[in-house]
Amino acid sequence: MTELRVGIDTRPGWTVLVVRGKILFDTHEPLSRALKEAMAGHQPKIVVDLHEVTVCDSSGLQLLVDAYRQVTAAGGAFRLARARSLVRRVLDITNLTTILVVHDSVDAAVSASPGSGSEREPGDRRPGGPSI
Amino acid sequence: MSEASSDSAWAWRTATTELLARTRFITPSRLPAAVAEAAGKAGTTTRMYLGDHEQRRLRPFPAVGDPFRIDASPAGMAFRTTSPEREGGWLWYPLLDGTERLGVLRLEAAAADRSDAAVRAEVDRFVALVGHLIAVMSAYGDAFERIRRSEPMSAAAELVWQMLPPLTYGADNFVISAILQPVYTMGGDAFDYGVFDSTLHLGIFDSTGHHLRAGLTTAVTLSATRAVRRAGGGLMAQARAADEALASEFGDSRFTTAVLATIDLASGAVRYVNAGHPPPLVLRKNEIVATLDGGRRLPLGLGGIAAAEEPAEVRLETGDRLLAYSDGVIEALARDGAPFGIDRLTELAARHAADGLPAPETLRRMNHDVLAQYDGPPADDATLLLVEWAGDAVGRLAP
């Protein structure tokens, strides 16, 4: 599958993943890999730029939630930027915007204060799950 | 009552007794023969047809001869309207398990005079028993399933189908009906319902991922919510149980979007929790009068952050319909944005409701309209669930 490409950009202290294409259950591997690499460091700070993403299915959402939880648990920061209407809509309908805050620009994502919603812990801790 | 009429009614009564006696210790494959032998007491041959799971064809059981198209045949007409249909010397009778449509039974019209009330009542009773026998015997073998499947089912679809309640149920003053696609390969979508006293409990579910992985997630969610419901637990407790079950069973962030709801069948009061699912609609005539977008929380499996403390409420009026759907429906109806998809969905619901059809037939047609939007197989599971409250909905299901 070549429907998804991920470019890597940086801001001081931050990794910016610039995603292009469709994030679907059978295409999301490049994003999964890029997230894994970006999360490898100490207290990772990651922005996922969704401007060129046309569709994100539930597998894609799961991938973003997973990354958010792992990064948050490691004391880092995980933010989204520039989601377009369809992607924005699935984030809204699923209520995931309550944890995955979407910023208007990469710069806004990087400079947002930690309290602006995106570094909260999802409610229940997972017994036996990954270290969160 | 004429002597001939009384004789015929009596013969049908004998046939019903005979059917009970003949089916006590037989395998499902022998049901059609037993029905034919019993109906012979009333002077008619019989031929049994079962609807396929995509609800497009009626297939002969035993599998000899051609199937009929539900959309374009007198046999199909009987299935669509759940009313007997005359075709020359034949009478096509809908086969129902209570209110769930299973197929049709062909009788000889001369032996089943429906203009005679006494005969009609006895024939109705005989055919109702055939429907119940199919439902009961389905638990014991694959004879019916083999006829009803037009292609093999995936393991995921097998898992999900066996968890679902019957597609249609109606009693007293309500009817609930649902339809799911793609029938043979679905995985993550499901629905549930159950009545206790005067409360109708219902749920619609859509899990992340595809195929067996999604099916397993849905299985855990549905089992967790159902177990709590059956123990008397409320909506919030059901949602919490799903959170806990998914978190303890799987190590990743998989989730299920869902709406869990109760309808008080006496007052029409609806209480619901919306866990990240496309909001169901309340339809009054052709208008959307409410959208179930309150009671919001994260999808099941992701815990209770930003969860509503209490279920949200909305009240149905007599004749209102509650329409729930999964995102696969909207994606099919609108490749280019949400509002259009919901408009199309509402328009379809209104158009088919205007025909005064039984709820399952409204959904069958809506479902086929949705599927017609795809060039190939559906890209995602698509579920429609319709509740009709306090009108003559149940009356439309009777033969």
Side-chain angles (χ1 to χ4, degrees):
Chain A
M1 287 289 173
T2 54
E3 285 195 78
L4 187 74
R5 282 180 299 154
V6 182
I8 297 177
D9 200 353
T10 55
R11 293 286 191 282
W14 290 77
T15 305
V16 182
L17 302 181
V18 183
V19 190
R20 289 190 181 79
K22 303 174 176 179
I23 311 180
L24 302 172
F25 77 104
D26 54 355
T27 66
H28 70 54
E29 188 51 37
L31 177 58
S32 178
R33 226 179 310 122
L35 282 168
K36 222 166 269 168
E37 282 165 26
M39 287 188 292
H42 175 65
Q43 295 187 338
K45 293 177 162 183
I46 302 170
V47 176
V48 181
D49 182 350
L50 297 169
H51 192 61
E52 300 295 327
V53 174
T54 52
V55 181
C56 178
D57 74 0
S58 62
S59 301
L61 295 178
Q62 183 184 326
L63 186 63
L64 295 175
V65 173
D66 244 342
Y68 161 80
R69 299 171 81 154
Q70 290 183 43
V71 168
T72 308
F78 184 86
R79 296 168 187 178
L80 305 180
R82 304 207 298 163
R84 300 223 294 219
S85 61
L86 272 181
V87 175
R88 178 81 216 192
R89 197 182 133 252
V90 295
L91 287 164
D92 281 338
I93 284 183
T94 51
N95 296 333
L96 287 173
T97 43
T98 54
I99 53 172
L100 296 171
V101 173
V102 183
H103 298 274
D104 292 339
S105 69
V106 171
D107 288 331
V110 165
S111 57
S113 64
S116 64
S118 104
E119 272 93 40
R120 284 187 286 174
E121 178 89 353
D124 303 342
R125 284 170 174 275
R126 334 202 102 206
S131 54
I132 290 185
Chain B
M1 187 186 296
S2 76
E3 203 172 310
S5 149
S6 140
D7 280 354
S8 177
W10 183 255
W12 275 105
R13 187 175 296 200
T14 308
T16 301
T17 311
E18 180 86 8
L19 182 58
L20 275 171
R22 282 180 181 273
T23 51
R24 203 154 164 221
F25 298 116
I26 62 167
T27 59
S29 303
R30 285 169 54 200
L31 181 64
V35 170
E37 286 158 19
K41 301 281 179 191
T44 179
T45 59
T46 60
R47 190 93 170 83
M48 190 182 289
Y49 289 78
L50 299 175
D52 60 17
H53 285 297
E54 50 270 61
Q55 300 184 32
R56 290 189 188 276
R57 287 187 167 76
L58 293 163
R59 300 175 171 276
F61 178 43
V64 179
D66 292 327
F68 291 110
R69 287 182 52 207
I70 288 172
D71 279 328
S73 66
M77 178 71 133
F79 183 90
R80 295 200 306 271
T81 59
T82 58
S83 304
E85 180 70 17
R86 183 83 184 254
E87 181 189 18
W90 304 121
L91 191 61
W92 295 101
Y93 240 90
L95 282 172
L96 305 169
D97 172 32
T99 50
E100 162 97 325
R101 302 184 296 185
L102 302 175
V104 292
L105 187 68
R106 194 189 70 188
L107 306 174
E108 292 172 33
D113 179 8
R114 285 190 53 83
S115 65
D116 183 312
V119 175
R120 189 168 67 231
E122 292 300 336
V123 179
D124 284 354
R125 198 195 312 265
F126 179 87
V127 180
L129 177 59
V130 176
H132 284 307
L133 286 168
I134 293 172
V136 169
M137 293 171 86
S138 291
Y140 306 122
D142 299 338
F144 305 114
E145 272 304 304
R146 286 195 181 208
I147 296 291
R148 298 188 69 185
R149 292 180 184 191
S150 52
E151 58 185 273
M153 208 169 258
S154 70
E158 195 76 65
L159 172 70
V160 172
W161 271 110
Q162 67 186 339
M163 293 190 300
L164 301 178
L167 292 180
T168 301
Y169 174 59
D172 300 334
N173 62 349
F174 76 95
V175 170
I176 183 166
S177 189
I179 196 162
L180 286 80
Q181 291 281 356
V183 171
Y184 301 104
T185 56
M186 65 181 192
D189 275 19
F191 67 92
D192 195 18
Y193 65 82
V195 194
F196 183 70
D197 290 341
S198 68
T199 302
L200 174 64
H201 298 258
L202 57 105
I204 183 167
F205 307 91
D206 182 1
S207 294
T208 52
H210 279 66
H211 309 311
L212 196 50
R213 184 186 172 83
L216 283 169
T217 308
T218 296
V220 169
T221 302
L222 197 148
S223 306
T225 56
R226 198 182 268 173
V228 171
R229 185 190 89 207
R230 286 178 172 166
L235 297 171
M236 305 316 263
Q238 290 172 37
R240 278 195 302 274
D243 281 335
E244 283 160 19
L246 289 169
S248 65
E249 195 56 36
F250 304 109
D252 54 25
S253 296
R254 71 181 66 199
F255 57 80
T256 307
T257 71
V259 176
L260 302 170
T262 58
I263 302 178
D264 179 343
L265 294 168
S267 69
V270 179
R271 287 163 61 80
Y272 68 94
V273 176
N274 188 333
H277 197 81
L281 311 170
V282 177
L283 305 174
R284 187 167 301 154
K285 300 211 162 56
N286 297 346
E287 305 274 312
I288 299 176
V289 294
T291 299
L292 273 57
D293 55 4
R296 284 159 67 101
R297 48 153 287 157
L298 282 173
L300 304 179
L302 298 183
I305 190 175
E309 307 257 312
E310 286 286 321
E313 292 193 20
V314 63
R315 189 171 284 262
L316 302 180
E317 286 185 10
T318 297
D320 281 356
R321 287 166 299 140
L322 178 66
L323 177 66
Y325 57 93
S326 64
D327 60 1
V329 171
I330 293 300
E331 279 159 25
L333 290 176
R335 301 293 177 81
D336 51 354
F340 179 57
I342 292 187
D343 286 352
R344 288 284 305 278
L345 182 65
T346 316
E347 180 193 308
L348 287 177
R351 174 162 19 113
H352 293 308
D355 300 335
L357 297 163
E361 181 60 17
T362 301
L363 283 189
R364 191 184 75 87
R365 294 181 184 194
M366 287 176 69
N367 176 54
H368 290 168
D369 288 340
V370 169
L371 287 177
Q373 305 298 316
Y374 288 107
D375 303 330
D380 193 6
D381 289 6
T383 301
L384 288 164
L385 181 146
L386 183 67
V387 181
E388 299 185 341
W389 180 70
D392 58 347
V394 177
R396 290 199 294 274
L397 289 171

